[in-house]
Amino acid sequence: MQYISTRNKNETASFAEAALEGLAPDGGLFIPQEIPRYSAAVRSSLGAMDFTDIAFETIRPYVSGVMDNTALADIINSSFTFNAPLIAAADRYAVELFHGPTAAFKDFGARFMARSFSHLRRGEDRSLHILVATSGDTGGAVADGFFNVPGISVTVLYPKGRVTPLQERQIAGLGNNIRAVSVEGSFDDCQSLVKAALSDNGLKERMSLSSANSINISRLIPQAVYYSAAAGRAFAGKADADGEATPRVKSVENNNNVFKAGLPVTLCVPSGNFGNLTAGLYAMKMGAPITQFIAATNINKTIPEYLSSGGYLARVSQATISNAMDVGAPSNFERMAAHFSLEEMRKIILGIWVSDEETRETIVRVYDEAGYILDPHSAVGWKGVDKLKEENKTFDGNFGIFCTAHPAKFSEVVQPLVGQIPVPSSLSRAMERTVNSTSIPADTSAFFELLNAISPVI
């Protein structure tokens, strides 16, 4: 498999080069030269396969030529020690992506990425420094995934005062090879600083730099796995039992819905930087039984407005209670536009946006009606489906909501609405950490000065 830049299709790179570089030399994002297809045997078996087997079949063609099957299997088995259960809730199904160590969907990509980097850099004598911008959950997942990985250090940038106390503890509470930087600005400012550093030749000569945002292809590809797994189980008419982290607090009568076997699925994806939805587009193109996507955003509605008007207009992000989605200039739009025309996107993606008031109302209503607790991001997805149904949009076959984080991560928002939230053990441990972070202005020179002062950790 070869990779090209979204801005230059004439220069190719291997998976190793694309992953370790992060950004293409021209500032574009790496994309696969072609999206592979599942074999007919795999497509017909997705509903019965183990999660790790689906992961192997999904990721294998993307790493061909740089990672043999044994190494890939080892990385997958150590990365995905948890899965993404499909849970019935009211008239739809929740795809729970928060059963990993930081209770957010970012665990899937971050853990695979960390182990891949370690494998790809075996034998190197120069430390690799990872830069990552986060609006909330990415930072904690990357910090956990790379914590104590030999030969790799990480700097996580997050917007000061715009992440929850728990998220800050996950980002800035580990220490050792993980450094936390709070930026006096927005997520978009953090992302701009990372891109500037990755594009600076002087910095790259001094230290080996890479990224861990969804701009990095090695974090995006493994996210396609849970799309194929969820769609496969829905097509097979199967649902999973509640897991240890499932936030169902009471049983109600309308939780007995069952999938209609043999029908493809529409998936609603709470969206911010649009890496998650891009991974879903890859899964669909590979042959997973997905009919359509719903891209649900908060007031930062750049993509829904693009789908409606046909004009892409990046904007300054606005703070909301679904803070991990506070992105006004989503990086992965560049990948989406490289793979699909506007008309093609309109056929497979419905865009919708949800206010904070609607998000709070949805958390309360779903708790009352289904005995299920949503975090603010998942509530955006849930309400997005409701709004489209109110507009008389119909969904063929089954439909589900991606629940991207556990509600206990956002107790400051959720608990006043529904009361006490069950806390997974992974989050209980994180809440005991002490924050250790450096604050800087949203200024390139300040960030470069900080990086130049760093002695890479071996």
Side-chain angles (χ1 to χ4, degrees):
M1 171 69 73
Q2 292 292 302
Y3 292 81
I4 57 175
S5 169
T6 50
R7 302 178 188 179
N8 182 358
K9 298 181 179 180
N10 296 320
E11 292 189 20
T12 62
S14 68
F15 173 78
E17 292 165 335
L20 295 173
E21 286 293 325
L23 276 179
D26 58 8
L29 305 185
F30 284 111
I31 57 174
Q33 202 166 39
E34 60 181 3
I35 298 175
R37 290 278 296 175
Y38 290 124
S39 68
V42 170
R43 290 198 304 273
S44 64
S45 303
L46 287 173
M49 294 170 66
D50 289 338
F51 190 85
T52 52
D53 292 334
I54 295 174
F56 182 84
E57 294 295 340
T58 301
I59 299 170
R60 180 170 53 86
Y62 291 101
V63 301
S64 62
V66 299
M67 194 180 296
D68 64 35
N69 289 348
T70 300
L72 176 60
D74 288 344
I75 289 170
I76 285 172
N77 289 330
S78 64
S79 299
F80 304 143
T81 55
F82 50 92
N83 62 6
L86 208 60
I87 304 297
D91 65 339
R92 66 202 67 180
Y93 283 79
V95 185
E96 294 186 341
L97 302 179
F98 46 71
H99 288 257
T102 70
F105 80 95
K106 310 292 179 72
D107 284 326
F108 290 92
R111 286 170 65 85
F112 178 85
M113 181 189 203
R115 286 150 181 79
S116 294
F117 275 28
S118 181
H119 173 78
L120 295 172
R121 286 182 53 82
R122 63 196 186 283
E124 290 281 345
D125 57 3
R126 190 184 188 196
S127 177
L128 177 67
H129 196 86
I130 304 291
L131 303 178
V132 58
T134 184
S135 54
D137 287 334
T138 291
V142 170
D144 179 85
F146 281 95
F147 183 56
N148 283 340
V149 173
I152 300 179
S153 56
V154 179
T155 295
V156 183
L157 286 75
Y158 62 98
K160 188 174 184 177
R162 294 199 188 184
V163 300
T164 70
L166 172 57
Q167 286 175 326
E168 189 168 33
R169 286 181 174 87
Q170 291 180 314
I171 294 165
L174 288 172
N176 198 10
N177 65 324
I178 310 297
R179 296 178 178 88
V181 179
S182 62
V183 176
E184 296 168 359
S186 67
F187 166 75
D188 295 317
D189 293 320
C190 297
Q191 187 163 251
S192 294
L193 292 176
V194 168
K195 286 185 173 181
L198 292 172
S199 301
D200 187 87
N201 291 329
L203 277 176
K204 290 195 293 185
E205 287 178 5
R206 182 187 176 276
M207 58 199 311
S208 296
L209 292 176
S210 187
S211 71
N213 283 88
S214 57
I215 59 177
N216 193 301
I217 196 69
S218 70
R219 213 198 85 189
L220 186 147
I221 287 170
Q223 293 177 218
V225 175
Y226 50 71
Y227 282 90
S228 293
R233 290 189 67 74
F235 191 80
K238 297 179 179 178
D240 297 303
D242 289 2
E244 184 266 335
T246 297
R248 195 194 307 277
V249 293
K250 57 184 178 180
S251 178
V252 293
E253 292 182 0
N254 61 351
N255 274 333
N256 298 318
N257 185 36
V258 293
F259 279 131
K260 300 172 183 176
L263 296 176
V265 65
T266 294
L267 293 171
C268 181
V269 187
S271 301
N273 209 26
F274 277 78
N276 198 7
L277 190 129
T278 302
L281 292 171
Y282 283 15
M284 171 189 270
K285 293 284 282 184
M286 292 185 76
I290 301 169
T291 298
Q292 195 172 41
F293 295 98
I294 299 167
T297 73
N298 55 31
I299 191 64
N300 297 283
K301 51 187 177 177
T302 302
I303 300 300
E305 289 194 343
Y306 164 75
L307 293 169
S308 174
S309 70
Y312 178 81
L313 178 62
R315 65 204 65 205
V316 176
S317 63
Q318 301 180 56
T320 73
I321 60 172
S322 50
N323 67 307
M325 295 156 55
D326 292 348
V327 184
S331 288
N332 282 283
F333 174 75
E334 190 166 335
R335 280 195 175 106
M336 294 166 62
H339 287 297
F340 303 94
S341 69
L342 169 62
E343 290 309 310
E344 287 172 328
M345 279 193 249
R346 282 173 165 166
K347 289 178 182 177
I348 55 178
I349 305 171
L350 294 173
I352 194 75
W353 67 275
V354 174
S355 69
D356 276 357
E357 181 181 357
E358 291 171 320
T359 302
R360 290 189 178 94
E361 177 273 327
T362 301
I363 292 170
V364 173
R365 178 170 53 83
V366 173
Y367 174 82
D368 290 339
E369 294 177 359
Y372 192 85
I373 304 178
L374 297 168
D375 85 285
H377 308 78
S378 307
V380 167
W382 193 290
K383 182 61 177 180
V385 169
D386 291 344
K387 292 179 77 168
L388 289 171
K389 291 173 70 175
E390 290 165 5
E391 295 175 7
N392 296 317
K393 294 289 193 305
T394 58
F395 310 114
D396 294 332
N398 306 299
F399 68 97
I401 312 297
F402 272 21
C403 292
T404 53
H406 195 280
K409 298 195 74 171
F410 302 92
S411 58
E412 294 80 5
V413 174
V414 179
Q415 197 158 298
L417 300 174
V418 302
Q420 195 66 35
I421 306 168
V423 180
S425 56
S426 61
L427 297 186
S428 297
R429 291 190 296 270
M431 290 171 72
E432 298 172 358
R433 298 174 186 166
T434 300
V435 170
N436 183 10
S437 180
T438 301
S439 182
I440 64 169
D443 178 75
T444 302
S445 60
F447 183 45
F448 281 23
E449 182 179 349
L450 182 148
L451 289 178
N452 280 317
I454 287 175
S455 297
V457 174
I458 303 296

